[in-house]
């Protein structure tokens, strides 16, 4: 049977791109009114079949997956935070003295402002007045009018404050806390799970005027908060039996949402929760699932492997980046992007596994990935996505 030459060539090109794993996601089925023909190609040792659809358009529709435009490399660096879409606060780690049989290796650390567009970096000198050992973290409210600020004196002591972003005024909040666990309930209240050396500690509802009130939680199955998220009036956490639960400041009895949850990540718009699970009793391969805030499973499995980590939502909640490691090289390995609009999961086609949390720039057009490196100690790759 003769095959139109143009369609045949297009089919070969599409299959090549699919196998490279740059442009297409795990689900290769395309919804289009211009379908020409459909075939099957083999993938994996198990002989599974993947559907290949050839379309007439010269350019694939945006929902087909993630396309990489460019990758920047920054040696010896990890990302502290994004300052803008093209500027980063990075930390450079330098080996000052090799380890010996008697002494550990010695390192020095320096902070820089790095510009991706020019490649230039400027030294960042602390001008906050904080002591040498102090560490400051700031969490901006959803409307951007206030910031919850923690100034850590040491590993277990922090001074908390609410800052008015318009006036610069700061109001100290007199609570003791041992953990950096919390989030904005809404634009008017910050929830702080203070933690304690002897138990889970108090949960505080801190208003933007600096006042605070204790929140009661009636749950004997929680000793300390390892997974905790706040947003859109709800508080989410996992208990000692790896069950995902939610409650509110006015409803102390929690609601069970899901079982066998290892980690949780609430989307910035507070509409979806990404959870990883290792199966009943912590056995079996890890799976990545998406739930709505009521505990209803959204769609099918997003990812699976021996280790699932670093689930990170883009600022607009449209994409979820995550890393997968599977000992079986025929399984999922590397970094993937889940698109909430198309429902597709796309591999970046990069061979490395992150050593630090993945980091999106403010517009979600770039993703920062930091990996360990024997010579450079750490290397950060910034992936630019095609628009």
């Amino acid at each position: 049977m003769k095959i139109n030459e143009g369609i045949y060539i297009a089919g070969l090109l599409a299959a090549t791109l699919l196998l490279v794993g740059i442009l297409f996601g795990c689900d290769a089925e395309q919804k289009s009114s211009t379908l020409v023909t459909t075939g099957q190609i083999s993938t994996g040792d198990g002989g599974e079949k993947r559907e290949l659809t050839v379309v007439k358009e010269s350019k694939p529709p945006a929902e087909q997956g993630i396309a990489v435009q460019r990758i920047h490399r920054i040696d010896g660096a990890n990302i502290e935070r994004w300052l803008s879409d093209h500027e980063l606060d990075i930390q450079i780690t330098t080996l000052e003295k090799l380890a010996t049989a008697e002494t550990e290796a010695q390192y020095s650390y320096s902070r820089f402002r790095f510009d991706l567009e020019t490649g230039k970096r400027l030294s960042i000198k602390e001008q906050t007045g904080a002591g040498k050992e102090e560490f400051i973290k700031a969490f901006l409210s959803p409307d951007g009018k206030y910031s919850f600020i923690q100034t850590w004196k040491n590993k277990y002591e922090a001074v908390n404050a609410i800052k008015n972003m318009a006036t610069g005024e700061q109001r100290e909040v007199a609570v003791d806390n041992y953990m950096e666990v919390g989030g904005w309930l809404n634009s008017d209240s910050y929830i702080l799970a203070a933690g304690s050396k002897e138990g889970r500690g108090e949960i505080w509802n801190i208003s933007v005027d600096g006042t605070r009130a204790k929140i009661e939680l009636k749950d004997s199955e929680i000793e300390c908060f390892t997974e905790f998220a706040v947003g859109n009036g709800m508080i989410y956490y996992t208990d000692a039996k790896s069950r995902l639960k939610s409650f509110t400041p006015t409803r102390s009895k929690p609601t069970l949402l899901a079982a066998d949850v290892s980690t949780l990540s609430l989307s910035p718009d507070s509409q979806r929760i990404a959870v990883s699970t290792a199966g009943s009793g912590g056995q079996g391969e890890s799976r990545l699932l998406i739930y709505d805030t009521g505990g209803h499973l959204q769609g099918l499995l997003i990812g699976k492997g021996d280790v699932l980590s670093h689930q990170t939502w883009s600022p607009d909640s449209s994409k979820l980046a995550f890393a997968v490691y599977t000992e079986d090289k025929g399984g999922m390995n590397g970094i993937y992007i889940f698109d909430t609009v198309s429902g597709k999961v796309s591999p970046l086609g990069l061979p490395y596994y992150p050593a630090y949390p993945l980091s999106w720039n403010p517009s979600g057009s770039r993703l920062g990935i930091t990996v360990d490196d024997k010579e450079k100690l750490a290397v950060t790759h910034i992936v630019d996505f095609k628009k």
Side-chain angles (χ1 to χ4, degrees), residues 209-355:
D209 62 4
T211 59
R212 75 240 186 334
K214 289 182 182 180
I215 298 176
E216 185 180 7
L217 172 60
K218 295 179 180 179
D219 190 349
S220 60
E221 299 292 344
I222 177 71
E223 298 174 356
C224 66
F225 293 109
T226 56
E227 295 295 323
F228 192 90
V230 184
N232 198 26
M234 301 295 296
I235 305 168
Y236 305 91
Y237 67 97
T238 55
D239 66 13
K241 296 183 178 180
S242 300
R243 295 177 297 189
L244 175 62
K245 297 177 179 178
S246 68
F247 72 107
T248 71
T250 58
R251 192 187 69 224
S252 59
K253 186 177 180 179
T255 299
L256 177 63
L257 301 180
D260 301 313
V261 173
S262 301
T263 65
L264 73 93
S265 178
L266 181 66
S267 62
D269 63 4
S270 302
Q271 298 302 307
R272 296 179 177 89
I273 307 173
V275 306
S276 63
T277 172
S280 180
Q283 302 298 317
E285 65 180 0
S286 295
R287 300 172 298 147
L288 183 61
L289 305 167
I290 304 294
Y291 287 88
D292 66 15
T293 52
H296 304 103
L297 188 62
Q298 302 294 289
L300 302 176
L301 185 69
I302 302 302
K304 63 179 180 178
D306 295 336
V307 179
L308 276 161
S309 64
H310 302 305
Q311 296 92 0
T312 307
W313 290 97
S314 61
D316 66 355
S317 302
S318 68
K319 295 178 178 63
L320 178 72
F322 61 96
V324 185
Y325 170 77
T326 307
E327 188 173 357
D328 176 8
K329 299 307 177 183
M332 293 182 75
N333 273 287
I335 299 168
Y336 294 78
I337 306 292
F338 167 61
D339 188 309
T340 63
V341 177
S342 66
K344 296 184 180 298
V345 178
S346 301
L348 288 187
L350 305 176
Y352 34 72
Y353 192 85

Side-chain angles (χ1 to χ4, degrees), residues 157-201:
E157 293 180 290
V159 175
N160 303 292
I162 292 288
K163 180 179 180 180
N164 186 314
M165 301 304 293
T167 65
E169 178 188 5
Q170 285 193 196
R171 296 184 179 183
E172 186 173 325
V173 182
V175 296
D176 295 328
N177 66 283
Y178 299 88
M179 297 179 66
E180 183 191 309
V181 176
W184 285 93
L185 185 72
N186 48 47
S187 294
D188 300 319
S189 300
Y190 187 90
I191 303 299
L192 175 65
S196 171
K197 293 180 180 179
E198 300 176 353
R200 78 184 187 196

